[in-house]
Amino acid sequence: MSGPVLQVDGLVAGYEPGVPIVRGASIRVERGEIVVVLGPNGAGKSSFIKAIAGLVPVSAGKVLLDGTDITAVPAHRMVRMGLAFVPQTENIFPLMSVDDNLKTAGGILKAKEAVERIARMYDTFPDLRTFRRTAAGNLSGGQRQMLAVARALIVEPKLLVLDEPSAGLSPKLVAMVFSMLADIRKAGVTILLVEQNAKAALAIGDRAYVLVEGREAHEGVASELWNDPVVAELYLGQRAQPSRGGEA
Ligand SMILES: Nc1ncnc2c1ncn2[C@@H]1O[C@H](COP(=O)(O)OP(=O)(O)OP(=O)(O)O)[C@@H](O)[C@H]1O
Ligand SMILES: [Mg+2]
């Protein structure tokens, strides 16, 4: 299909009736892009992508995945529709081995297909092969994120959606996770990413949206947004001073 992989129009969503947290947000993700959603704490970024993934009730607006309306699709059916969501926490089964984590993620595939895809994940993430019999809870933070992403990729989704994959990781592991995501995109996967780590996310992203009070307040080319005064304003205190004072 041509057209965007994801199109979200005027999405309104929240946890309680009459209390919208997402207040008319619209974004689009084109095929092969990495699109980043930034925003201050509590802006509704997680709620927004959870609403896209069917985890927060939507009261208005539309979510189209590859042209198909997935607005009312419950979360457990999203994988079959082609949308794989990696939540910020609880994105693996810590007591299960790495191998069993991948097997359960491939549960919707035919047995032979699942075996092939798991082998492919081990080729992509050799660390996971090394620790295939280890309980996932004993992996390092970076390896755990790797496993969470591998679990999402095993179904070959049209869109990979991630909530703060770098949260809680050391700077070295943050770099590893972002380089992993850049590689995954190179392999043809379309990615929607929410991040606090604006600098690292904008470095691998194509375009970005800034979400403020549940609505996209700003949109731009990722490489330009980092120095955009509007973004600096919205990010008050969220990051080091941008390089904008020079000419003023
Ligand atoms: N499960 C929930 N039930 C009720 N309200 C919630 C729930 N989760 C989040 N909220 C509220 O929704 C608002 C937006 O929260 P959300 O987690 O979506 O923001 P965020 O932009 O992801 O923030 P952060 O940068 O801290 O991750 C907050 O006011 C929060 O209290
Ligand atoms: Mg969040």
Side-chain angles (χ1 to χ4, degrees):
M1 265 197 84
S2 58
V5 171
L6 182 76
Q7 174 137 16
V8 182
D9 287 322
L11 200 67
V12 179
Y15 303 89
E16 294 161 50
V19 189
I21 301 291
V22 180
R23 301 191 180 105
S26 303
I27 67 165
R28 104 195 114 75
V29 183
E30 301 289 348
R31 206 163 306 274
E33 274 191 318
I34 295 180
V35 168
V36 182
V37 175
L38 305 171
N41 286 112
K45 303 180 295 295
S46 295
S47 305
F48 178 52
I49 56 168
K50 282 186 195 164
I52 292 171
L55 291 160
V56 173
V58 170
S59 56
K62 229 179 206 182
V63 182
L64 299 179
L65 185 71
D66 229 359
T68 302
D69 192 335
I70 59 161
T71 317
V73 171
H76 68 273
R77 289 198 50 233
M78 280 296 179
V79 168
R80 280 181 201 278
M81 306 295 293
L83 185 149
F85 177 55
V86 181
Q88 182 179 336
T89 55
E90 290 166 34
N91 52 23
I92 54 162
F93 296 107
L95 301 178
M96 268 186 205
S97 69
V98 166
D99 210 50
D100 286 343
N101 264 276
L102 293 175
K103 279 182 188 151
T104 51
I108 67 163
L109 304 171
K110 295 196 181 82
K112 184 165 171 262
E113 206 176 17
V115 170
E116 284 166 10
R117 300 265 182 94
I118 290 173
R120 206 176 307 160
M121 286 305 139
Y122 285 144
D123 292 341
T124 310
F125 307 105
D127 272 16
L128 296 184
R129 178 175 276 134
T130 306
F131 295 108
R132 60 192 297 170
R133 311 223 181 281
T134 302
N138 293 334
L139 297 175
S140 74
Q143 288 161 346
R144 245 183 271 190
Q145 277 309 6
M146 220 180 255
L147 177 59
V149 170
R151 293 188 78 241
L153 290 179
I154 217 158
V155 296
E156 297 189 346
K158 290 174 180 165
L159 180 70
L160 176 64
V161 181
L162 304 115
D163 195 358
E164 304 216 19
S166 81
L169 298 181
S170 68
K172 199 173 142 196
L173 290 179
V174 170
M176 188 278 281
V177 165
F178 280 105
S179 117
M180 165 181 81
L181 293 177
D183 287 345
I184 288 167
R185 183 268 289 280
K186 258 190 227 150
V189 180
T190 305
I191 297 177
L192 174 63
L193 175 69
V194 163
E195 257 303 332
Q196 287 285 348
N197 195 332
K199 192 169 194 177
L202 292 175
I204 62 158
D206 297 297
R207 288 184 307 109
Y209 294 86
V210 181
L211 205 68
V212 179
E213 293 177 6
R215 195 176 287 127
E216 82 291 351
H218 202 58
E219 179 197 348
V221 173
S223 58
E224 291 167 8
L225 268 188
W226 180 246
N227 287 313
D228 189 309
V230 179
V231 173
E233 208 64 44
L234 292 167
Y235 258 75
L236 283 173
Q238 289 265 316
R239 60 178 170 95
Q241 277 299 304
S243 52
R244 65 175 173 133
E247 311 84 336

